[in-house]
Structures are given as C-alpha cells and as structure tokens.
C-alpha cells in the first residue's frame, strides 16, 4: 500500500539528505524553496509550519527536525562526556554497538552525517539487534555467562550525565547539525 509514515531510522536518513542538499541548515531550520531551489518542489508551508514533502501524505516537519536535534544533542553530549570522564579519546574506542530495532536499521553514515555519532567512529559501528533479549537468554541458559555478568556488574559505574555541570552546555553545542 501507500506509505503512511516514516520510521525513526528513516527520519535520520531524511535529515542527513536534507542537510547535504542544503534544505536544512546547521541550526536545523528548514529552508524555503527560494533559499534552496534544488529542493524547492519538496519544501512548503502547511498550517504555518515549514515542511518537507517526502511522499504523498508523508512529510517531515520543522518540529520533527527539532526532535531529531534534541535526541542528537543528548546522544552526542553523552558520548563526549563519557569519553571525558573515562578518560579516553574517540580513537581509543574499538567498537560502537547499536542495539534495538532503531540501532539495527539506522544507517551509520546518516547518523555520522548529522553528528548523532562521531564521524571518526564510522568504520567501528555495528548493529547488534535485540541485545537485551539476547543477553537475557545467554545468562538464563549458561551459568558461566551468569557468573561473568555478576563479575562485570562490579566494574560498571553509573555516570548520570544530566547532573554534570557541563551537560547543558555540551547538549546545546551538540544540537547543531
């Protein structure tokens, strides 16, 4: 049938393409058809809000882009602050595992293009599917994995990002596309 909406990973792809084409600026603002003639036929206003028509009945709104920016700002700030507090450099990160349905279908190139994930990590990004479900099955079926999990929990520390004094500044800075 006809498309009726767009999934989360599709929104990331759409924002990445709009950014590349100049239809959205680094501040996340959808441009007018006059500002971006190459994409002008897709850009319009609907009920006082700028939109980008993706298909008949499916469009991306300015509000959708702001939501992407909020998520991007939080995730990028989290990566930046965790690296600072560990401490480590991005070059030290050997692998980035993307879990869940969103992580399984997101295109790493699009995530890096909008700054959701650091571009330096592009070749180290790997989708892992339902990591929570798979991990639960592993420890339910193996005493060795259960013991390993028990040892790991003593090595894990909670870093409450939102309580860090620099979080708000880092979050705001990372909202730019």
């Amino acid at each position: 049938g006809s498309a009726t909406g767009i999934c989360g990973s599709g929104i990331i792809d759409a924002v990445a393409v709009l950014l590349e084409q100049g239809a959205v600026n680094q501040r996340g603002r959808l441009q007018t058809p006059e500002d971006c003639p190459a994409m002008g036929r897709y850009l319009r206003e609907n009920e006082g809000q700028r939109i980008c028509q993706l298909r008949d009945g499916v469009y991306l709104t300015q509000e959708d882009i702001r939501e992407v920016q909020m998520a991007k700002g939080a995730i990028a700030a989290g990566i930046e602050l965790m690296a600072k507090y560990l401490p480590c450099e991005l070059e030290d990160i050997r692998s980035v595992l993307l879990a869940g349905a969103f992580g399984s279908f997101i295109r790493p190139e699009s995530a890096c293009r909008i700054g959701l994930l650091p571009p330096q990590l592009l070749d180290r990004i790997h989708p892992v599917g339902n990591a929570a479900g798979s991990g639960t099955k592993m420890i339910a079926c193996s005493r060795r994995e259960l013991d390993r999990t028990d040892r790991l929990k003593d090595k894990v520390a909670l870093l409450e990002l939102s309580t860090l004094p620099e979080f708000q500044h880092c979050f705001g800075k990372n909202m730019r596309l």
Side-chain angles (χ1 to χ4, degrees):
S2 298
T4 59
I6 184 170
C7 63
S9 57
I11 290 174
I12 301 300
D13 284 337
V15 172
V17 169
L18 292 174
L19 187 61
E20 286 173 5
Q21 295 299 314
V24 65
N25 66 22
Q26 289 184 334
R27 292 178 56 216
R29 181 87 168 135
L30 269 170
Q31 301 300 293
T32 64
E34 297 76 32
D35 294 331
C36 185
M39 295 287 291
R41 66 185 172 141
Y42 304 104
L43 303 171
R44 57 182 56 88
E45 284 208 17
N46 183 24
E47 298 178 13
Q49 181 173 211
R50 288 185 185 178
I51 66 166
C52 179
Q53 188 80 38
L54 301 175
R55 289 191 61 108
D56 288 339
V58 180
Y59 51 89
L60 205 58
T61 67
Q62 184 65 65
E63 187 176 317
D64 293 331
I65 294 170
R66 292 286 180 240
E67 292 294 327
V68 168
Q69 286 181 275
M70 297 286 280
K72 180 244 189 249
I75 292 168
I79 293 168
E80 185 177 322
L81 292 172
M82 282 194 296
K84 176 182 176 182
Y85 278 85
L86 280 176
C88 75
E89 299 295 324
L90 290 178
E91 294 74 30
D92 299 328
I93 298 171
R94 292 180 299 201
S95 186
V96 177
L97 306 177
L98 299 181
F102 182 70
S104 294
F105 294 104
I106 192 170
R107 286 174 28 102
E109 298 83 4
S110 295
C112 291
R113 175 61 185 99
I114 68 168
L116 181 70
L117 299 172
Q120 308 91 300
L121 300 177
L122 178 60
D123 63 340
R124 292 172 258 172
I125 298 170
H126 310 283
V128 294
N130 183 357
S134 298
T136 300
K137 288 178 195 172
M138 288 170 64
I139 63 171
C141 295
S142 168
R143 180 65 189 191
R144 192 175 104 210
E145 290 300 325
L146 179 62
D147 292 342
R148 181 172 173 246
T149 302
D150 197 44
R151 288 189 308 275
L152 281 174
K153 75 173 174 48
D154 296 329
K155 296 179 181 180
V156 174
L158 176 65
L159 178 60
E160 186 66 47
L161 296 172
S162 63
T163 64
L164 298 176
E166 63 266 60
F167 176 75
Q168 287 300 324
H169 172 74
C170 191
F171 170 75
K173 173 184 76 172
N174 279 293
M175 284 187 57
R176 293 183 71 83
L177 297 173

